[in-house]
Amino acid sequence: MSPNPLTLDTALSSFSDHWSPKIIAAVNGQHVKLAKFKGEFVWHAHAEADELFLVLDGKFTMEFRDRAVELGTGDMIVVPRGVEHRPVATCECSVLLIEPAGTVSTGDAEDDDRAGRGEWLVDRGPAPHAP
Ligand code: NI
């Protein structure tokens, strides 16, 4: 079966919740996700997953224990595995993430109700091969 394209703007307009990544593709063991950030996330690290963030619209700050990095539309950063980080967005920010399938958004942080592995964006129809 041939694949269907996905329009990022359309996918982004289909949800509005913050800190709740939506899976839009699975590629070679990685999940591509869309998320909207607003406010402060929780400090955490991913022991075995590098995490790529690409800002699609807006801006946010990626805080590390030793510095803070400002990211605007079109900017990207890869947070290496094991490095503590906390995204903070003063205004709503749309972000594309790439990380291994099954990665929990809050990493090693405990008791956070925002913890999740992401859910498939349902209005795109069934995924070709959701792992
Ligand atoms: Ni993370």
Side-chain angles (χ1 to χ4, degrees):
M1 191 173 71
S2 59
N4 290 318
L6 179 143
T7 302
L8 293 179
D9 283 347
T10 304
L12 283 168
S13 66
S14 71
F15 69 94
S16 58
D17 42 341
H18 299 136
W19 308 117
S20 182
K22 313 301 181 198
I23 303 166
I24 56 169
V27 185
N28 303 316
Q30 305 288 305
H31 273 170
V32 181
K33 304 174 180 178
L34 295 177
K36 293 182 178 177
F37 295 172
K38 188 176 183 184
E40 296 180 350
F41 202 56
V42 61
W43 279 105
H44 67 281
H46 308 275
E48 300 188 3
D50 304 323
E51 197 168 38
L52 181 149
F53 297 78
L54 167 63
V55 181
L56 298 176
D57 186 38
K59 60 181 180 180
F60 78 99
T61 303
M62 185 63 83
E63 294 184 353
F64 298 101
R65 289 301 188 185
D66 61 346
R67 66 184 177 127
V69 176
E70 306 287 339
L71 299 159
T73 302
D75 292 338
M76 57 165 273
I77 193 169
V78 177
V79 177
R81 60 194 66 190
V83 173
E84 278 191 297
H85 57 286
R86 179 176 77 153
V88 176
T90 53
C91 300
E92 185 175 86
C93 179
S94 298
V95 180
L96 183 147
L97 298 95
I98 302 176
E99 57 193 3
T103 300
V104 177
S105 59
T106 52
D108 59 350
E110 295 179 357
D111 300 327
D112 195 289
D113 57 12
R114 292 171 294 197
R117 291 177 169 80
E119 55 191 35
W120 281 89
L121 204 58
V122 289
D123 73 343
R124 292 297 305 176
H129 51 83

